[in-house]
Amino acid sequence: MNQEPPSDSSNSMESIEREFPKLLHHPFDLSLDEWKDSLAEGGISLKEFTSIKKIRPDSKSLNIIIVDGDSSDGDEIRALDEVCGEEIPAAIVLVETPGNGARRDEDSSSLLAGFVPKPIATEPFQISIRAAFRQTAYRLAAHREENHRTIISRNLENLTQIGIALSAEQNNHRLLDMILTRSRELTNADAGSLYLVEETPEGERSLRFKHTQNDSKTIPFKEFVMPATKASISGYVAVTGESLNISDVYQIPKGVEYGFNQSFDQSVGYRSMSMLVVPMTDHKNEITGVLQLINAKQSPDILLPDPASADKNVIPFDPAIQQIIQSLASQAAVALENSMLLESIEQTFEGFVKASVHAIEQRDPITSGHSERVTDLTCGLAEAVSKIKTGRYADVEYTEEQMKELRYAGLLHDFGKIGVRESVLVKANKLYPLELEVVKNRFATIKRSIQSEYQEKMIHLALGGNKDKVKTLQAELEQRLEETGNLIDLVLRSDIPSMMPEGEFDELLKLGEFTYTDIDGTEHPYLTQYELNCLTIQRGNLTESEFSEIQSHVSHSYNFVVQIPWIKELRGIPEIAYGHHEKLNGEGYPRKLHEEEIVLQARMMCVCDIFDALTASDRPYKKAAPLEKAIQILKFEVKDNHLCPELVDIFIKDKVYQVVEAFADQEYEEPEPKS
Ligand SMILES: [Fe+2]
Ligand SMILES: [Fe+2]
């Protein structure tokens, strides 16, 4: 039988007698024909030898060697001790003429298990042979037990160390890798795989092939899902919770429920032989995964590149190590459960953050996607900075936790826009659309009042027969209407935030002095002071108070983010977000910090925030800048001492901008210097 029972009982004498074939070696000149049938009934095979030196005991059988005491001396018999060693289960039965014991002493071999006097009588012969097999099985059981204890005590400390290491690892992928690596180290397994149990809401279970390692073959990894049924080895373990320790998966005995599919081996030229497969059970004793170790070897240095090397070098997994691996698998399951829980909490949190940011960006669709792009760019820049081992930031290297901190800071940096009125966020021109409508209506009223003023005069003159005067007034009216039309055109032009042509600014100021009289006789200005203030904005489209309202988003972001009870590793988030509009020379906002007061991560975010604002899709008041132009502007920002020169340099040289989809295949080229 090639399959070992999965429990401790594999070390008992009875199970060894069941497990091992019985082999009786005898001298060729000692005929056992008379007992051949009864020996065969007892499951004993016969093997002849011509001399003691040529005896080859079989390590996978219980060996009884019949030695003719009359013709053998003590040295020859003792030599068998070495041939069998500790590993091969064997015993010697001496057949000799009574009184002929002078040729050997009783201590000639530790394997000596009985004497049968010549001539051989059936009963003493059979009793001696049976007793010798029992003694061999007993010795092997004791040897195994000893080994078992040694393996367990030797590995208990390892197991504790591994347990600590597993519980400290929070990254899921690394944890899976560590579980396989450590369990393969303990068993000298050539390969291993890890499956995780998945369950549909309807309760249907499947196994996801999650991780694999193989010392001898490079096998491309691809996740797949298979049904959790008893038909496969790992499925059987997942369903029943029993461990399987199989010495050769190609020789699985008939009648068991599981089988081994050789197609994978065939496709990669590998030979899976011994296999130890244990369930991973969590703290509720539920099976959450399956750990499969393949091909135990005497030493980890042995490689099994082809089936022949596997035949030669693969040994069964020791039942003692099975217990250790079962223990490790349980620790691993709990560690995995914790790390998956942590990951799902993080995913939930990140999902919540993204949804919130998305909701805020919906208020200003023009900047949609900005927070995620700034996050990707800033993290890309931080990774590039981490890699560079020369220059100002040679010592900077961000840990995984710090990268996570930067990620959240990026996603939340503009969260404070929630505190800015939507109309201000989306304001495209200097006046809001409704305000412009009011101005247009007012000018229509002005035109009408001019018309009615002139028409009244003209009717009066016409009735008096003064035709020439009517004509003059008509021409005057047309000129007034044309002038008013020009004024409204001036207003419409000024409403658009671009550079105002020379002279128009003064014209607008003059317009501020114009008045008209409504039908009630009340005098009104053409433009209110507020309208005039808006229309005369020299740069951009925002009034001073609107501008500071927009700027207040940074403080809002900080005040919001600082209220989240971040874990220690993420406590830098508020400070990073708070610094994303500061400038090295202290002209930024809201705190007007100087270079040394702005945390490095915020300085990186400043570069990326400006880059995205420049290159993001068209805004009504500004065209999206192409890569070359955006980078030129970043360089101007460096010259103005707004941005850190080293960071902008790394941003360009490391092509950090390529993380943005629109620039994924673009490369910045330095323009030729103008001669
Ligand atoms: Fe911002
Ligand atoms: Fe931003």
Side-chain angles (χ1 to χ4, degrees):
M1 264 204 353
N2 289 291
Q3 186 206 347
E4 293 184 2
S7 71
D8 280 339
S9 65
S10 58
N11 282 345
S12 74
M13 194 166 76
E14 292 75 14
S15 74
I16 285 173
E17 281 199 291
R18 273 199 307 276
E19 178 194 339
F20 279 73
K22 297 186 175 79
L23 193 56
L24 186 62
H25 305 258
H26 64 94
F28 75 101
D29 51 357
L30 177 74
S31 170
L32 300 180
D33 285 351
E34 196 183 335
W35 303 287
K36 207 171 149 189
D37 292 343
S38 65
L39 288 169
E41 264 175 46
I44 300 167
S45 315
L46 301 178
K47 198 171 180 185
E48 284 182 358
F49 60 87
T50 50
S51 80
I52 291 182
K53 281 187 191 137
K54 291 194 174 162
I55 294 174
R56 293 288 170 267
D58 175 14
S59 63
K60 290 179 176 162
S61 303
L62 299 177
N63 300 270
I64 300 303
I65 303 161
I66 297 179
V67 176
D68 188 339
D70 295 346
S71 58
S72 315
D73 62 26
D75 287 343
E76 277 182 304
I77 298 173
R78 251 192 303 279
L80 283 173
D81 283 24
E82 263 184 49
V83 174
C84 297
E86 287 250 302
E87 302 303 320
I88 301 177
I92 296 170
V93 172
L94 272 180
V95 179
E96 62 183 6
T97 307
N100 203 10
R103 292 178 62 88
R104 48 95 199 147
D105 59 69
E106 293 208 353
D107 300 326
S108 56
S109 167
S110 61
L111 299 177
L112 211 51
F115 301 94
V116 179
K118 284 185 186 174
I120 300 173
T122 301
E123 204 171 334
F125 174 71
Q126 285 184 334
I127 289 171
S128 294
I129 296 297
R130 232 185 353 255
F133 273 121
R134 295 226 89 185
Q135 190 174 329
T136 315
Y138 176 76
R139 274 203 205 137
L140 181 59
H143 177 68
R144 278 188 168 185
E145 198 54 46
E146 176 72 29
N147 258 349
H148 188 98
R149 272 199 293 272
T150 314
I151 289 172
I152 289 186
S153 64
R154 201 175 52 219
N155 284 303
L156 270 180
E157 199 180 326
N158 282 341
L159 198 61
T160 316
Q161 298 293 336
I162 293 169
I164 293 168
L166 291 179
S167 58
E169 181 56 71
Q170 292 181 348
N171 177 292
N172 231 317
H173 181 77
R174 278 204 304 268
L175 187 57
L176 293 171
D177 198 61
M178 189 192 282
I179 295 166
L180 267 188
T181 305
R182 294 305 183 92
S183 42
R184 286 176 55 238
E185 276 168 12
L186 287 176
T187 52
N188 283 344
D190 188 57
S193 301
L194 226 153
Y195 299 83
L196 295 184
V197 173
E198 292 182 344
E199 198 170 328
T200 61
E202 293 76 39
E204 206 168 297
R205 305 181 96 204
S206 52
L207 282 180
R208 180 174 288 275
F209 179 63
K210 200 69 190 159
H211 199 56
T212 190
Q213 292 177 349
N214 191 312
D215 280 345
S216 305
K217 291 269 173 194
T218 310
I219 297 163
F221 174 73
K222 196 166 176 243
E223 262 190 41
F224 64 83
V225 177
M226 60 186 224
T229 67
K230 289 185 184 175
S232 67
I233 293 175
S234 42
Y236 181 88
V237 172
V239 172
T240 63
E242 278 176 32
S243 296
L244 290 178
N245 187 348
I246 304 168
S247 50
D248 188 350
V249 286
Y250 283 21
Q251 311 266 341
I252 291 174
K254 287 199 175 76
V256 296
E257 291 175 87
Y258 51 84
F260 180 72
N261 182 350
Q262 298 180 15
S263 59
F264 176 76
D265 274 11
Q266 281 156 8
S267 68
V268 297
Y270 193 67
R271 165 70 158 98
S272 301
M273 194 178 280
S274 62
M275 200 176 274
L276 175 60
V277 192
V278 300
M280 295 167 64
T281 43
D282 66 8
H283 71 287
K284 288 181 278 182
N285 225 15
E286 278 175 14
I287 298 166
T288 54
V290 171
L291 174 62
Q292 182 182 47
L293 300 172
I294 303 161
N295 286 348
K297 307 175 287 192
Q298 290 289 4
S299 143
D301 306 327
I302 300 170
L303 292 182
L304 313 171
D306 48 52
S309 56
D311 276 335
K312 194 170 147 216
N313 295 302
V314 173
I315 55 171
F317 285 90
D318 196 298
I321 208 70
Q322 179 177 329
Q323 281 191 358
I324 298 280
I325 293 299
Q326 278 169 193
S327 226
L328 187 150
S330 300
Q331 288 183 334
V334 174
L336 204 56
E337 195 188 6
N338 284 339
S339 96
M340 287 193 332
L341 187 68
L342 196 71
E343 199 176 272
S344 79
I345 291 172
E346 278 179 8
Q347 275 171 1
T348 310
F349 183 70
E350 184 152 335
F352 171 73
V353 168
K354 280 188 182 169
S356 313
V357 168
H358 182 70
I360 291 156
E361 288 183 349
Q362 282 298 99
R363 301 173 72 220
D364 178 10
I366 289 155
T367 59
S368 166
H370 168 74
S371 301
E372 272 202 56
R373 284 192 304 270
V374 169
T375 303
D376 292 344
L377 285 164
T378 313
C379 289
L381 182 54
E383 272 165 22
V385 168
S386 286
K387 269 190 286 171
I388 288 172
K389 296 289 164 242
T390 53
R392 182 176 176 190
Y393 299 121
D395 296 336
V396 176
E397 193 170 336
Y398 290 110
T399 63
E400 205 174 311
E401 290 301 313
Q402 285 172 314
M403 291 302 293
K404 204 183 283 176
E405 182 180 69
L406 191 54
R407 210 179 143 62
Y408 282 132
L411 286 174
L412 292 166
H413 80 281
D414 276 342
F415 194 86
K417 284 189 177 168
I418 199 164
V420 178
R421 285 174 297 153
E422 193 169 331
S423 55
V424 180
L425 280 179
V426 300
K427 189 178 181 191
N429 294 329
K430 295 180 185 174
L431 289 173
Y432 292 105
L434 265 180
E435 291 172 344
L436 188 65
E437 276 312 300
V438 170
V439 176
K440 282 184 189 166
N441 285 336
R442 190 183 305 136
F443 272 80
T445 310
I446 291 169
K447 276 185 172 178
R448 272 198 303 277
S449 68
I450 293 172
Q451 269 172 334
S452 62
E453 180 193 329
Y454 274 84
Q455 272 163 1
E456 211 174 295
K457 282 184 194 165
M458 284 190 287
I459 291 167
H460 194 69
L461 288 169
L463 288 175
N466 198 343
K467 278 185 185 172
D468 290 344
K469 197 84 179 172
V470 170
K471 258 190 188 170
T472 314
L473 277 181
Q474 180 66 35
E476 220 175 279
L477 168 64
E478 276 162 23
Q479 197 188 336
R480 286 278 312 269
L481 289 177
E482 196 187 323
E483 278 168 10
T484 314
N486 287 342
L487 289 176
I488 184 69
D489 285 349
L490 173 67
V491 168
L492 293 177
R493 274 199 310 279
S494 310
D495 185 44
I496 294 163
S498 55
M499 287 302 277
M500 220 177 260
E502 191 103 10
E504 291 208 341
F505 184 78
D506 293 335
E507 264 186 73
L508 260 183
L509 287 181
K510 250 190 250 156
L511 180 58
E513 292 163 13
F514 285 25
T515 57
Y516 70 98
T517 310
D518 68 12
I519 41 170
D520 299 332
T522 316
E523 198 178 335
H524 298 282
Y526 272 31
L527 291 173
T528 64
Q529 191 56 47
Y530 165 77
E531 287 158 353
L532 200 61
N533 286 349
C534 290
L535 292 169
T536 50
I537 292 169
Q538 298 266 39
R539 216 173 145 207
N541 66 324
L542 298 177
T543 63
E544 230 167 84
S545 71
E546 284 164 346
F547 200 61
S548 56
E549 183 171 344
I550 291 265
Q551 288 188 333
S552 73
H553 80 275
V554 185
S555 302
H556 291 313
S557 287
Y558 175 78
N559 291 335
F560 167 74
V561 174
V562 82
Q563 286 181 52
I564 298 174
W566 299 104
I567 55 166
K568 197 169 102 237
E569 291 78 6
L570 304 180
R571 280 197 197 137
I573 292 172
E575 185 58 35
I576 300 171
Y578 209 5
H580 82 269
H581 280 295
E582 299 291 349
K583 291 176 178 170
L584 303 192
N585 62 359
E587 287 176 7
Y589 61 87
R591 291 177 291 168
K592 302 194 185 310
L593 299 180
H594 283 85
E595 177 169 8
E596 61 286 355
E597 300 166 296
I598 312 168
V599 289
L600 178 56
Q601 292 97 318
R603 276 183 266 154
M604 292 188 212
M605 201 175 284
C606 292
V607 175
C608 301
D609 191 70
I610 293 179
F611 179 81
D612 189 67
L614 289 167
T615 56
S617 56
D618 288 4
R619 299 175 185 208
Y621 48 90
K622 184 171 72 65
K623 286 250 168 263
L627 181 64
E628 269 65 33
K629 176 137 187 243
I631 285 182
Q632 288 307 315
I633 295 174
L634 289 184
K635 289 181 174 179
F636 287 131
E637 293 283 320
V638 169
K639 273 196 194 131
D640 291 343
N641 199 17
H642 292 168
L643 295 178
C644 169
E646 289 85 356
L647 292 179
V648 171
D649 203 41
I650 296 170
F651 184 88
I652 298 168
K653 287 202 177 124
D654 232 79
K655 300 173 199 153
V656 174
Y657 48 82
Q658 288 186 341
V659 304
V660 175
E661 213 184 321
F663 301 120
D665 44 17
Q666 290 194 34
E667 245 175 78
Y668 171 73
E669 274 177 43
E670 201 70 45
E672 294 280 323
K674 283 181 190 143
S675 52

